[in-house]
Amino acid sequence: MKKYLSQSVLIALVITNVITLFMYFNKDVQNGYAQAQQTFKVSFFSGQGEHWKLDNYAIVKTNTSIQRGNGKLTYLGNLNEIKDSNYFKYSFYEKRGEKNEKLVLEGLKTSNNGNISLLENLKIGSIEGPIEETDKNQEPVSYYLEIEWVDNKGVRKKEEIPLESS
């Protein structure tokens, strides 16, 4: 009987230790899994100025990367004013506070010997890179688009368009 009791106690100790170890490692696995899960946030922005309108500029953030771009840009004036343009540039800026401004995406199209077919090239590109500490910051951010172009008369123009969440 004494031998049976000591074997039962020993088996009970082994079983409780196995259960305890399983619970301990399972907790670590769950915590590691929760930390490894990817967060994914998509935001769209739009805006309109006197000459240009932007729709669906996207910002896609994950734990490790950020992608910006892919908006639709539309000229609001008479298309004959820009059909023979030889210069077009767009620049997207993010602004945190009054002085902290960052250029995040830029595109340029130029031609020395003719036009750049601006009406056919109004797609906004995109850029992807690693997420920086400033991108993780929850501080309010404002966004704006700056557009420069040369019209058919050779006049260089510039417009700034504030962007709002759409």
Side-chain angles (χ1 to χ4, degrees):
M1 175 92 167
K2 203 176 199 186
K3 187 175 180 181
Y4 176 73
L5 184 59
S6 64
Q7 285 178 345
S8 297
V9 169
L10 184 60
I11 290 172
L13 281 173
V14 169
I15 290 174
T16 58
N17 283 341
V18 168
I19 291 171
T20 303
L21 287 172
F22 175 76
M23 290 173 62
Y24 176 76
F25 286 116
N26 193 33
K27 179 186 88 168
D28 286 346
V29 168
Q30 287 176 352
N31 286 344
Y33 176 72
Q35 291 171 357
Q37 281 184 328
Q38 189 78 278
T39 59
F40 189 77
K41 182 180 178 189
V42 179
S43 303
F44 292 98
F45 296 88
S46 297
Q48 183 172 326
E50 182 181 346
H51 298 94
W52 297 93
K53 177 181 177 184
L54 176 72
D55 290 309
N56 297 321
Y57 171 75
I59 299 176
V60 180
K61 288 183 184 180
T62 69
N63 293 359
T64 57
S65 68
I66 186 165
Q67 180 182 13
R68 300 170 174 98
N70 297 322
K72 180 184 175 196
L73 193 58
T74 306
Y75 186 71
L76 300 174
N78 182 339
L79 298 179
N80 288 328
E81 296 171 353
I82 62 168
K83 75 175 186 175
D84 294 325
S85 178
N86 65 358
Y87 179 85
F88 178 75
K89 179 181 176 184
Y90 61 85
S91 306
F92 286 92
Y93 292 91
E94 292 181 358
K95 194 171 183 179
R96 287 178 172 81
E98 286 300 312
K99 297 182 181 180
N100 192 0
E101 183 176 88
K102 179 170 104 173
L103 174 65
V104 294
L105 176 62
E106 188 171 54
L108 174 66
K109 296 173 177 37
T110 63
S111 172
N112 290 330
N113 299 324
N115 66 46
I116 56 172
S117 300
L118 188 58
L119 299 177
E120 298 169 14
N121 291 299
L122 287 179
K123 292 183 181 177
I124 301 297
S126 67
I127 188 167
E128 183 174 357
I131 197 157
E132 299 174 6
E133 279 304 312
T134 55
D135 298 321
K136 293 178 185 177
N137 190 347
Q138 298 303 317
E139 184 179 328
V141 177
S142 61
Y143 304 92
Y144 70 93
L145 166 63
E146 186 177 271
I147 300 173
E148 293 181 59
W149 73 101
V150 173
D151 67 12
N152 287 350
K153 296 176 183 173
V155 177
R156 180 172 279 201
K157 297 185 176 188
K158 188 175 188 178
E159 183 169 81
E160 189 175 295
I161 302 171
L163 303 178
E164 295 185 11
S165 183
S166 55

